[in-house]
Amino acid sequence: MDQVLSIINVNKKFDGTVALDNFSLEILRDSITGIIGPNGAGKTTLFNAITGFLSLDSGKIIYNSKNLSRMPSCKIARAGIARTFQQLRLITRMTVQDNILLSFQNQAGEQLKNTFLFPGRVKNQEEKTKGIYGTLLSL
Ligand SMILES: Nc1ncnc2c1ncn2[C@@H]1O[C@H](COP(=O)(O)OP(=O)(O)OP(=O)(O)O)[C@@H](O)[C@H]1O
Ligand SMILES: [Mg+2]
């Protein structure tokens, strides 16, 4: 198995607080990796750094051979890194399924005109994403 995500000697300080202290981690393709640690250990800081929500003081994050360290979060998401947040901010008037389906990118239905001009295409894509949602539920 090869590495898909390499976190190499990353450092992040908030004023006097050292949140990430020369932290390194290799995540292998097709693996499931958990990060555990006590409150304030730096888990959220690490996730924020991986997903471009904050910049590192030093160190590198490489994903599929691309250096994410200075990439904006929208490009990191398009490169294939998805995340959730500690405060989820779900849309409470929508179903669980619809909240999850919102995260699929580049859907034809994102543009109002497509729902009028190409309703078949919009519906097909929605059926596909619902299929993926079903597969996720059965994992
Ligand atoms: N924006 C910030 N400004 C100042 N200090 C911060 C900031 N974000 C995190 N910290 C500090 O950095 C350290 C790591 O915090 P972080 O939120 O990454 O920990 P965590 O492992 O996610 O904790 P928890 O289990 O409580 O979610 C803590 O001491 C925290 O107070
Ligand atoms: Mg946290």
Side-chain angles (χ1 to χ4, degrees):
M1 282 209 284
D2 54 344
Q3 296 94 346
V4 68
L5 184 67
S6 301
I7 295 154
I8 306 163
N9 301 123
V10 296
N11 289 283
K12 179 71 187 177
K13 263 191 200 167
F14 297 102
D15 300 319
T17 305
V18 180
L20 296 172
D21 184 10
N22 220 28
F23 181 80
S24 298
L25 173 71
E26 297 282 0
I27 295 184
L28 300 178
R29 192 174 298 285
D30 298 329
S31 68
I32 295 175
T33 303
I35 296 177
I36 57 172
N39 295 136
K43 305 175 296 291
T44 298
T45 304
L46 178 67
F47 275 87
N48 285 341
I50 294 171
T51 52
F53 282 79
L54 59 82
S55 57
L56 290 167
D57 298 335
S58 61
K60 269 200 282 193
I61 298 176
I62 311 288
Y63 174 66
N64 277 333
S65 314
K66 279 188 207 136
N67 189 349
L68 303 186
S69 312
R70 301 264 170 259
M71 219 185 254
S73 51
C74 57
K75 279 200 175 164
I76 294 172
R78 268 183 235 125
I81 296 195
R83 69 170 291 180
T84 62
F85 291 86
Q86 197 156 349
Q87 308 291 333
L88 285 177
R89 303 236 192 134
L90 295 172
I91 301 172
T92 49
R93 65 177 181 279
M94 287 179 16
T95 62
V96 171
Q97 175 177 272
D98 283 342
N99 269 282
I100 289 173
L101 296 186
L102 265 184
S103 64
F104 284 83
Q105 295 188 349
N106 302 320
Q107 294 293 295
E110 289 170 16
Q111 296 192 24
L112 190 60
K113 72 173 174 26
N114 287 339
T115 60
F116 294 110
L117 298 177
F118 310 107
R121 209 169 99 203
V122 171
K123 195 159 192 310
N124 277 347
Q125 256 189 352
E126 276 182 8
E127 291 308 316
K128 252 191 215 156
T129 52
K130 281 180 189 162
I132 296 170
Y133 171 76
T135 311
L136 289 175
L137 279 189
S138 63
L139 285 178

